[in-house]
Amino acid sequence: MNAQDITSASAAALPPLIRHYSTVTAALLPALCRQIENLFPGDCLKNTGRILLVGSGENYAAALAGRSVFSSLSSYPAEWVEALTPTALRHFIEREKLQLGSAFVIAIDCAGDDGQLPHAVREAQSTGAKVLLLTARADCPAAALCDWLLSLPAAGAPLLPETEHFFVSYLALLLLGRAMGLASGKLCDKKAGELLDEIADHIDTVSQQAEDLCARARQVAESCADAADIDIIASGRDYPAGYLARMLCYRRLGQVVTLEESEDWLHVNMLALDPHRFLTLFFVSGANSSMDRTLRTIAFAKELGRQVVTVTDMDDHDPLALALPASRYSWVTPLSQLIPAALLVEMLRLSRPF
């Protein structure tokens, strides 16, 4: 079965897709590590200037998640790392008359079909930047323009629909951040090895919970099947997962939903109009510095009468919580947050009466 078959399959087809993430991770980790070492031997990554992560759609979600990777694993200040769409990068350069100089642009186009990316690459290079492209298509239009090409291997096994590009792209960003950490001296060999082990172990633990995650997602979907509207709340490091979930709702449910940070959501929803119409999906991880604010927002949403669903790695006995194992490293969490998000969307699609 491939991922496209899920449109006509029952919920019984979902657990094997979840278990495949572990197999895919085990296969891709060494392949991507070798390729990065061959592209950037020694300390080639040591003297890079600001880092700009550029992509559209799920690739932009990976870029958003990647910001904390590069500011945490390497020696770069958080303000030196930006996530931008190709159009936003072009506007940014034009508006600021910016000379990027020693900037390192990491362009992400897993499918190789982003029509705006080649234009953004040309403009970035015209200001002095060096560009690395992450793509699964070495013949895509942007590939011939870039200074380096990191070939993203195919997953090799079917995953939950619309998740492969984010999963593979973000895994590559994690490993690039690890390589930069080694080059800058912020990561020692032991810590770098531990990070690889943690990625594999964390995804393996999630994959072993496939049946439980599916059962919980089915329960949530059935209890919320009559909710006509969905809004998503995610803050700080959880925001990329919310961005991806919004995209999944549009592609799999054909529904445009809102995505807001917790504080903005509070301002908009004080009047609590028709709370029963909404399924409100929260992403909240224990390692997120915005966690307390999100927890307060969850409590308020419940007081309003919203149907609240949480994707969380904290102890939560709420029947509408999709629980994940906690990771020792917060940068690994986005790889697993997409699994319950995609699973819930699929269960909603299968159980909704409309």
Side-chain angles (χ1 to χ4, degrees):
M1 173 178 291
N2 58 42
Q4 285 70 32
D5 292 334
I6 201 66
T7 55
S8 59
S10 69
L14 295 170
L17 300 185
I18 297 173
R19 287 192 287 270
H20 286 160
Y21 285 90
S22 180
T23 305
V24 168
T25 302
L28 294 191
L29 278 175
L32 285 170
C33 281
R34 282 194 301 271
Q35 195 177 163
I36 291 170
E37 289 169 3
N38 291 334
L39 274 179
F40 302 107
D43 60 357
C44 288
L45 296 172
K46 189 173 183 180
N47 298 316
T48 299
R50 66 191 303 173
I51 299 172
L52 303 177
L53 307 171
V54 183
S56 302
E58 59 265 57
N59 299 313
Y60 178 63
L64 285 171
R67 289 188 64 194
S68 63
V69 170
F70 290 96
S71 61
S72 300
L73 292 182
S74 61
S75 299
Y76 297 92
E79 60 270 20
W80 281 23
V81 186
E82 295 282 351
L84 299 161
T85 65
T87 302
L89 175 61
R90 296 178 69 190
H91 288 168
F92 185 52
I93 293 171
E94 182 179 352
R95 184 182 68 247
E96 301 295 331
K97 305 301 181 188
L98 191 63
Q99 292 297 311
L100 296 178
S102 61
F104 185 30
V105 175
I106 301 176
I108 313 162
D109 186 9
C110 193
D113 57 3
D114 189 336
Q116 293 300 314
L117 196 60
H119 304 294
V121 168
R122 286 192 189 96
E123 291 202 26
Q125 289 178 322
S126 72
T127 67
K130 296 295 185 182
V131 182
L132 165 67
L133 176 66
L134 276 58
T135 185
R137 274 191 55 198
D139 61 343
C140 70
L145 304 172
C146 295
D147 299 283
W148 301 282
L149 175 68
L150 179 60
S151 180
L152 300 177
L159 303 177
L160 290 169
E162 308 288 351
T163 65
E164 178 177 333
H165 291 169
F166 175 89
F167 189 80
V168 175
S169 298
Y170 184 64
L171 187 60
L173 290 177
L174 262 176
L175 298 179
L176 275 168
R178 171 182 174 271
M180 285 190 161
L182 282 166
S184 67
K186 186 162 185 179
L187 280 182
C188 64
D189 289 339
K190 180 181 178 183
K191 286 292 184 182
E194 288 176 356
L195 177 57
L196 289 182
D197 292 340
E198 176 62 16
I199 293 170
D201 291 347
H202 180 69
I203 299 303
D204 188 54
T205 301
V206 173
S207 71
Q208 291 175 21
Q209 298 177 357
E211 278 75 15
D212 182 63
L213 276 171
C214 285
R216 184 64 65 91
R218 184 184 296 111
Q219 177 187 358
V220 169
E222 289 172 353
S223 67
C224 301
D226 293 330
D229 296 294
I230 300 172
D231 52 8
I232 300 169
I233 296 91
S235 298
R237 289 186 175 180
D238 295 321
Y239 190 82
Y243 186 94
L244 187 67
R246 180 179 64 173
M247 189 187 67
L248 288 168
C249 287
Y250 178 70
R251 291 185 177 177
R252 303 301 293 170
L253 301 178
Q255 185 170 358
V256 176
V257 306
T258 61
L259 167 64
E260 295 178 280
E261 295 196 351
S262 54
E263 202 164 293
D264 294 333
W265 185 90
L266 285 171
H267 293 159
V268 171
N269 289 280
M270 292 298 287
L271 296 178
L273 299 175
D274 299 324
H276 59 281
R277 296 179 65 246
F278 283 86
L279 184 165
T280 303
L281 175 61
F282 285 86
F283 289 87
V284 53
S285 57
N288 189 348
S289 59
S290 302
M291 173 193 65
D292 290 339
R293 186 176 67 188
T294 304
L295 291 176
R296 288 196 297 269
T297 308
I298 290 172
F300 181 72
K302 289 180 177 179
E303 289 177 12
L304 293 179
R306 290 293 185 94
Q307 299 182 83
V308 172
V309 179
T310 57
V311 174
T312 183
D313 59 7
M314 296 184 291
D315 291 335
D316 194 331
H317 302 293
D318 190 318
L320 297 186
L322 297 174
L324 289 170
S327 171
R328 286 187 296 163
Y329 302 110
S330 60
W331 326 289
V332 178
T333 304
L335 286 173
S336 58
Q337 283 177 320
L338 68 86
I339 294 174
L343 184 59
L344 176 60
V345 170
E346 288 305 305
M347 289 296 189
L348 284 170
R349 190 182 60 78
L350 291 169
S351 54
R352 275 183 160 186
F354 51 88

